[in-house]
């Protein structure tokens, strides 16, 4: 049985002071042992948010990481830095990073090695754009992203990963994929994992859906067989996030 996980992606929102206000608003409402809950916050918010989350079950995540431990990479943040301040998860390959910051399937692959080697859980994002959906090359696109992301990743390491299916046309648009559309792709992700590894391994890996998840549509999405939770952007910045976490 895979435990549901709800991941908040604050993106580039909330100053350190504002981050504490948001944590105060949500903390008690989303502190649960029933599901895993992770706040992926901007780098400068990580330390204050880590303190504010002390004594709760809510976990802390980053939205990116570099693939080296240290060195001449001005402006970057390493896995040991994240680990030391209490991060447990890192979002990797978000479509916004692929679109604006040259993230590729190759760097995603490097970052998977880096995170698992430092005992951080990578949340690997994949998804098709509207053009690909119109041309019905959704599954091919997803399969290719996963195969490249997992190049040379061992059985042992793949079990430490999780995936998020995030169709680009659904992110921040208010136009979520239907539960059936999301299930079809999440199932395809599990299938490619089973082909690359085995069914047992594929069945333990959590696969999330992300793209305009709200308190209103979460129940139908999370009821789908291969959807193990959500990666939530806009709705994670307001009280609606508590509805998503409490979603039945
Ligand atoms: C995201 O940023 O990963 C995301 C899914 O955003 P939103 O929920 O706003 O669509």
């Amino acid at each position: 049985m895979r435990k549901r996980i709800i991941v908040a992606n604050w993106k580039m929102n909330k100053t350190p002071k504002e981050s504490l206000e948001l944590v105060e608003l949500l903390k008690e409402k989303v502190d649960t042992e029933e599901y895993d809950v992770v706040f992926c916050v901007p780098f400068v918010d990580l330390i204050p948010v880590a303190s504010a989350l002390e004594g709760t079950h809510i976990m802390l995540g980053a939205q990116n990481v570099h693939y080296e431990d240290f060195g001449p990479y001005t402006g970057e943040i390493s896995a040991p830095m994240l680990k030391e301040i209490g991060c447990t998860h890192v979002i990797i390959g978000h479509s916004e990073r692929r679109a604006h910051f040259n993230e590729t399937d190759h760097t995603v692959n490097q970052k998977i090695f880096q995170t698992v080697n430092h005992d951080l859980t990578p949340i690997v994002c994949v998804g098709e754009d509207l053009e690909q959906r119109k041309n019905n090359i959704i599954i091919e696109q997803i399969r290719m992203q996963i195969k490249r992301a997992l190049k040379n990743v061992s059985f042992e390491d793949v079990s430490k990963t999780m995936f998020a299916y995030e169709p680009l046309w659904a992110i921040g648009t208010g136009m979520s994929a239907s539960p059936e559309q999301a299930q079809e792709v999440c199932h395809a992700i599990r299938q490619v994992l089973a082909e690359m590894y085995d069914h047992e391994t594929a069945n333990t890996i959590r696969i999330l859906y992300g793209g305009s998840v709200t308190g209103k549509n979460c129940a139908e999405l999370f009821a789908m067989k291969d959807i193990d939770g959500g990666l939530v952007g806009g709705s994670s910045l307001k009280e609606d996030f508590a509805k998503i976490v409490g979603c039945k």
Side-chain angles (χ1 to χ4, degrees):
M1 184 67 181
R2 298 180 298 266
K3 189 175 185 181
R4 184 186 293 174
I5 175 165
I6 314 294
V7 181
N9 176 14
W10 288 9
K11 311 196 189 201
M12 195 179 71
N13 292 294
K14 305 296 172 189
T15 66
K17 202 168 147 217
E18 290 166 347
S19 76
L20 292 178
E21 290 163 9
L22 183 56
V23 171
E24 274 320 301
L25 175 77
L26 291 173
K27 186 163 80 168
E28 282 179 16
K29 300 186 179 91
V30 304
D31 183 15
T32 172
E33 278 187 284
E34 192 176 357
Y35 307 127
D36 286 338
V37 177
V38 188
F39 285 0
C40 293
V41 308
F43 288 132
V44 294
D45 297 345
L46 284 168
I47 292 176
V49 169
S51 301
L53 292 180
E54 261 176 42
T56 74
H57 301 96
I58 306 164
M59 292 177 276
L60 187 67
Q63 301 169 13
N64 184 33
V65 66
H66 196 264
Y67 48 78
E68 295 286 351
D69 279 359
F70 58 88
Y73 301 102
T74 303
E76 291 292 315
I77 299 283
S78 74
M81 294 171 187
L82 295 177
K83 190 69 195 166
E84 189 173 308
I85 59 168
C87 282
T88 51
H89 293 71
V90 185
I91 297 172
I92 290 180
H94 192 283
S95 59
E96 289 155 11
R97 293 213 61 83
R98 292 181 192 252
H100 306 303
F101 302 102
N102 296 325
E103 187 85 275
T104 63
D105 292 331
H106 177 63
T107 56
V108 169
N109 175 254
Q110 290 174 298
K111 292 176 182 189
I112 290 176
F113 282 109
Q114 184 65 354
T115 44
V116 296
N117 286 342
H118 288 280
D119 199 22
L120 290 161
T121 302
I123 303 164
V124 183
C125 301
V126 294
E128 83 286 358
D129 62 26
L130 196 54
E131 202 55 30
Q132 289 164 328
R133 178 153 285 266
K134 280 185 185 154
N135 292 321
N136 200 20
I137 48 170
I138 308 152
I139 305 298
E140 286 96 311
Q141 160 74 359
I142 303 296
R143 288 177 65 88
M144 193 175 65
Q145 284 182 320
I146 301 231
K147 285 188 172 180
R148 289 180 179 161
L150 291 175
K151 189 171 175 206
N152 297 329
V153 173
S154 66
F155 265 76
E156 194 189 335
D157 284 348
V158 79
S159 339
K160 299 174 186 162
T161 66
M162 55 181 79
F163 289 84
Y165 166 51
E166 295 214 308
L168 274 63
W169 46 271
I171 297 179
T173 59
M175 201 172 75
S176 168
S178 69
E180 293 74 23
Q181 287 172 325
Q183 163 61 23
E184 184 191 7
V185 180
C186 290
H187 177 68
I189 294 174
R190 207 173 298 288
Q191 239 172 349
V192 72
L193 293 171
E195 285 166 26
M196 294 177 74
Y197 299 90
D198 59 27
H199 282 285
E200 203 187 332
T201 306
N203 283 335
T204 61
I205 295 175
R206 287 184 283 183
I207 302 172
L208 317 184
Y209 166 75
S212 299
V213 176
T214 66
K216 287 210 173 98
N217 62 21
C218 58
E220 286 184 310
L221 287 160
F222 298 168
M224 303 313 279
K225 190 166 170 277
D226 288 294
I227 301 180
D228 304 314
L231 178 52
V232 185
S235 296
S236 72
L237 297 167
K238 44 193 185 188
E239 262 190 281
D240 200 29
F241 190 64
K243 282 201 192 134
I244 298 172
V245 172
C247 194
K248 295 287 174 201

